[in-house]
Each structure stands twice: as structure tokens, then as C-alpha cells.
Amino acid sequence: MKINHIQSTPFSDQKPGTSGLRKKVRVFQQPHYLENFVQSIFNIAQSLKGGLLVLGGDGRFYNGHAIQIILKMAAANGVKRVMVGTNGLLSTPSVSCIIRKYKADGGIILSASHNPGGADGDFGIKFNISNGGPAPTSFTDAVYEASKTIHEYRIADIEPVNIDTPRRFVIGDMQVDVIDSVADYSEMMEQLFDFPAIRSLFTSDQLQMCFDAMHAVTGPYAIEIFEKRLQAQAGTVINGIPKEDFGGAHPDPNLAHTKELTDRLNSPSTKTNFGAASDGDGDRNMIIGKNFFVNPSDSLAIMTANAHLIPGYKDGIVGVARSLPTSRAVDKVAAANNISCYETPTGWKYFGNLLDDNRITLCGEESFGSGSNHIREKDGLWAVLFWLNLIAVKQQSVEDITRAHWKQYGRHYYTRHDYEAIDSDIAARLMEHLRAQSTSLAGKRFSSYQVQLCDDFRYLDPVDKSVTEHQGVRVLFEDESRIVYRLSGTGTEGATLRVYIERYVADPQQHDMDTQQALAELIHIAGELAEIKARCQRDQPDVIT
Ligand code: G16
């Protein structure tokens, strides 16, 4: 096998964000762009030399092309074996599952998650380490440094290989196993949850489910698990065929992007009483009942309170973690059950050490992500199965389970307001303005809210003692309400300002308010404190979740 050493010059913009390198497809299409970044990964991940690499992606535009390039570069960089998903498809949680099961040295996932796909959309690449989780910042920083000085990459001179069916072949000294994309993951789900109990929900017609795969990677997984193994009726999975452009839609499982699903749940003429959706790469989830939306932060709290009812967690949980902007609903459950609750920066990678050190069993984020120690990624279908299992045990609807939880622990009204594609300098100045104020806000009163604490969140990892600074400005009020501001690390156009607002209400008589109304005063305060209108010239957020 001939190995070409291709001369190249660095790109200055290959710094990974919250979750790998995400850019417009046309940025990745620049000559040598993808190759430079992949070579930088191989230069840093030394254990891949002579090691096992897992490779797959969410099937978006450029996935197939990138898979072929990475296979050739893996062969040229001395990788001994690659396990690649059939047609290059592997969900993010299944990559994590496969890395752990086969003790791989790492995995490359091609995905821009919930961002739109197609030739004009986004593409992304992320690296997961041998524990199955996203590479920590120390690794991604090293990759970025390597990308700034790269001068050549290595690539095998071979024709594209056929990966459309499971089989084994050899490229030079490297073995390639094209694997069934869904088998290992489905098997793992069957071990964690009570499949017979869930199956009987479907076969007895007690539950009619609609799962929106959003033409993304979970389609084949959901059909295998829900329709085949759990015998939900055919057609339970909608938009189940992965498409390069996600059917022209935005594969982001929230109420703004799942109209077909929510129409089904909300229509009085259908019997559909459980709905769920997952995103581009299958790690996010949304859970809805009949005319009822479960906030992801509440979902984490409910899972934590009920984990002992699920076979995979029957011995209880050791602790939980949530990202900074995730509501503090789970904190209440942790306190009541006397277990640790960690607050981390945004990004699944921060949960890795806590899981590996057995400090936590469950973790989750407001951004429609939840997961557990079964893998090291958030996991969309796992969350759906968790809820199905809960319904089977409790024999209650999604709404009843959630309302009972609020009654016991109180309700955290919660919303996130996103201001997208703001000029990056304006966004940076807005955050600076907030940081500058942060030291002097404590004790000040805004309408009926008095500030208790305001700071720029800094995380000290209790396991490896690493420190991560500037993770968001948080304003805590005396009555447990909270506002958090941060800039997204996953956008590809300008900056996205995220404003997270929450208010805790213990009294069950007040659990029926409209969320935006319940938070109206805090929303106003959030806008005033950050001078959003004046600085960004925006009257309204672009997206409210
Ligand atoms: C990624 C990260 C999550 C994070 C989310 C939003 O999710 O894995 O930890 O919460 O982005 O991040 P940001 O607020 O910085 O945009 P995904 O599903 O996009 O990989």
C-alpha cells in the first residue's frame, strides 16, 4: 500500500467547541481542511497507532466522503483495526457503547448534532477517548495546537471501499470491520430496561407512541428497538429514514422543530399518548405526553427520583450531575435523598471524570440531553426507554408522573431564550459587561427579586483538579430564582447568546401557570441586566425552549 505524504498549511480556525469541531460544510470542503484536522487527531491520540478505532456518523451530507478519507488516513497512520458502521452510520451513544464494549482506543464521530445538514448546512467531527466519552479539553486543546503547526498529512493511496453491508476487509496492514450499526446498542438497552413490561404497554394497546427520528441517525435504531423488539405498531417511528439533509428540516428535538409529532400528540382525534424525538446524532431526547411537554431539566429530576424502579439502576444511584444552566430541579431530589449533586460547565465531557470515578450514576443538561454510567455520552433512546419503563411500572401518564413529582419536590419554571447569529464582538462585549457587573450585584433589588450571588462560573473538577473558567455568568436570587447567561459553543454563524431563566415554586396551587408568564418578571430583568435590546438590537429571542 502506497502512503502519500501531502504537504499542507495550517488553518487558524480548528479550535473545537462545546462538542468537537463544527463548521459549515463549505468550510470543511476547502482542500486539506478535513485532512488537517484528522491528522492533528492522529498526532495527539498516539494510542491509535496499533490500536482500534471506532468510526461512524449521523449520515449528514459529507459523512460518506469523510468516512472514506478517515479510513485511508487511519491506514496511513498505523491504526490496526477500524470498526465502522454500515453505510458510515453510528449514533453518538452507540459509538460510546462500542468503544467500551470492544475496548477501543478511541472513536471518531462525524456529526454536527442538531444543526441543519445538507450541502449548505453544517458538518462536524469529534473524538471520543477510550472511556467512550468526548475527549476532555486538555486533549482538544492539544489537537488545536497541533492543527496550528501542521505541515503534512498522511493518506493511503487506495480506491474508496464499499461499506454498505457488514463484512471484513483489509487495507494494507489495517483490518476494517463494517459492523451492524444497531446490534450492540440495542442489546445494551435490553439489559438496562424491562423490555417485557414495556412490550406489554404496546401489545395491550395501553400506550400509543410516536417517535420522531427526524430523518436522522436514530431511525434504524428506533425501528429495531420500538417496532421490532418491543412490538410497538408499525409506523410508531416517523421520519425513520436517515437523509443527508434531514429532509430539509432542523434535526433538533424541541417543540419548535417537531410539528408533525406534536400535532399527533395534541390532536383529540388520535389515541397517541406518548411522544418522543431525538436529534441528528441520537444523543438528545424530547419527551412529551398528550398536550404535555416535559422540560429536560425536570426529566433529569424525575429520572433521579425514580431510578430505583428501573432494572439497570435498581440498586440506587450514587450521585447526579447537571450542567450550570440546567434547572436546579434535580438538586432538590438529590438533597432529599442525600446524594451528591455536581454542577459542571456545559458540555458532556465534564461528566466523564465524575462517571469514571463513580461519583455519579445519572447526569443531564437543559439542552435535551440525559444519560447515565451505561456509556459516556448522553443518550436519546435510552431516555425514551427510561420513560417507557417508568410508565410501565407506575401505570401513570407522562403528565401524571410529572405533576406528582412537582407536588413532592416543587416546580422549577424554566425557559431558555436564544439570540442567534449576533455579531461576535457585540456578544463578547455583552458578556464582558455582565462580568464587570457581577462583583457588585449581590444585595441589589430588581422589582421583587433580590440578588443573593452573582459570579462568572468557574469549575474545579473534583477528580483531576483541572480548572475551567468563564463558563457563564449566573445571577442567583434570594427566592432560589436564577438567571444564567452564556455564549453557545456549538453555533457556526456569529455568536448565540443563551439566557436561561428559572423560578422555583413550591406551592402546588401555583403549578399550572404558563411558563413564560410565570417567568415574565425575571425575563424582563434578564434583558435589562444584559442590555440585550440596546446591544444586540433584538426585541425578541429567535428561539424559546
Ligand atoms: C452539545 C454538548 C452539550 C451541550 C450542547 C449545547 O450537544 O454535547 O453538552 O449542552 O451542545 O451547547 P451550547 O449551549 O454550547 O450550544 P450536542 O447534542 O450539540 O452535541
Side-chain angles (χ1 to χ4, degrees), residues 94-111:
S94 75
V95 169
S96 189
C97 161
I98 292 164
I99 290 175
R100 292 171 70 78
K101 179 168 177 180
Y102 297 97
K103 303 198 176 349
D105 299 282
I108 291 180
I109 306 171
L110 305 167
S111 173

Side-chain angles (χ1 to χ4, degrees), residues 25-254:
V25 165
R26 59 177 179 274
V27 173
F28 271 100
Q29 283 174 324
Q30 297 171 88
H32 311 310
Y33 192 91
L34 172 71
E35 292 85 346
N36 270 16
F37 190 70
V38 172
Q39 185 63 54
S40 303
I41 292 176
F42 282 127
N43 289 349
I44 299 304
Q46 285 296 321
S47 59
L48 289 177
K49 213 177 172 74
L52 168 60
L53 171 73
V54 179
L55 175 62
D58 64 14
R60 66 178 59 226
F61 185 83
Y62 219 53
N63 194 75
H65 172 81
I67 294 270
Q68 295 294 338
I69 298 279
I70 295 168
L71 282 173
K72 292 181 201 181
M73 291 185 67
N77 278 279
V79 174
K80 191 168 169 215
R81 183 180 171 212
V82 178
M83 295 174 81
V84 58
T86 303
N87 290 318
L89 287 183
L90 282 177
S91 73
T92 289
S94 75
V95 169
S96 189
C97 161
I98 292 164
I99 290 175
R100 292 171 70 78
K101 179 168 177 180
Y102 297 97
K103 303 198 176 349
D105 299 282
I108 291 180
I109 306 171
L110 305 167
S111 173
S113 187
H114 55 290
N115 295 17
D120 296 324
D122 293 344
F123 188 72
I125 175 165
K126 50 187 180 174
F127 184 73
N128 281 31
I129 56 176
S130 59
N131 74 350
T137 311
S138 53
F139 182 96
T140 53
D141 283 350
V143 170
Y144 176 48
E145 289 306 315
S147 79
K148 291 198 284 194
T149 54
I150 195 163
H151 54 87
E152 69 158 40
Y153 60 85
R154 296 185 283 288
I155 186 160
D157 190 3
I158 54 161
E159 290 300 309
V161 290
N162 182 352
I163 55 167
D164 66 4
T165 163
R167 68 193 186 99
R168 171 171 290 178
F169 59 89
V170 168
I171 303 176
D173 294 333
M174 184 176 85
Q175 177 181 311
V176 178
D177 287 305
V178 184
I179 57 168
D180 179 332
S181 302
V182 303
D184 291 309
Y185 177 82
S186 306
E187 205 176 278
M188 178 178 236
M189 293 302 112
E190 206 151 350
Q191 286 158 11
L192 288 171
F193 298 104
D194 187 348
F195 270 40
I198 300 173
R199 193 177 296 121
S200 69
L201 286 177
F202 294 130
T203 51
S204 66
D205 219 20
Q206 190 183 339
L207 205 70
Q208 282 214 359
M209 169 178 175
C210 180
F211 177 82
D212 190 350
M214 308 192 90
H215 286 304
V217 76
T218 47
Y221 293 84
I223 290 169
E224 170 67 27
I225 293 173
F226 299 132
E227 296 189 9
K228 294 196 182 144
R229 297 191 187 209
L230 290 170
Q231 293 173 23
Q233 66 187 48
T236 291
V237 178
I238 60 170
N239 302 318
I241 297 169
K243 293 189 176 168
E244 286 196 333
D245 65 349
F246 306 115
H250 200 140
D252 195 357
N254 59 41

Side-chain angles (χ1 to χ4, degrees), residues 18-19 22 113-114 126 279 283-284 346-348 365 367 378 486 488-490 498 500:
T18 307
S19 183
R22 275 186 207 172
S113 187
H114 55 290
K126 50 187 180 174
D279 69 329
D283 56 4
R284 296 185 175 209
T346 293
W348 206 262
E365 296 187 274
S367 56
K378 56 185 184 271
R486 57 179 286 279
S488 160
T490 57
R498 301 206 197 283
Y500 313 81

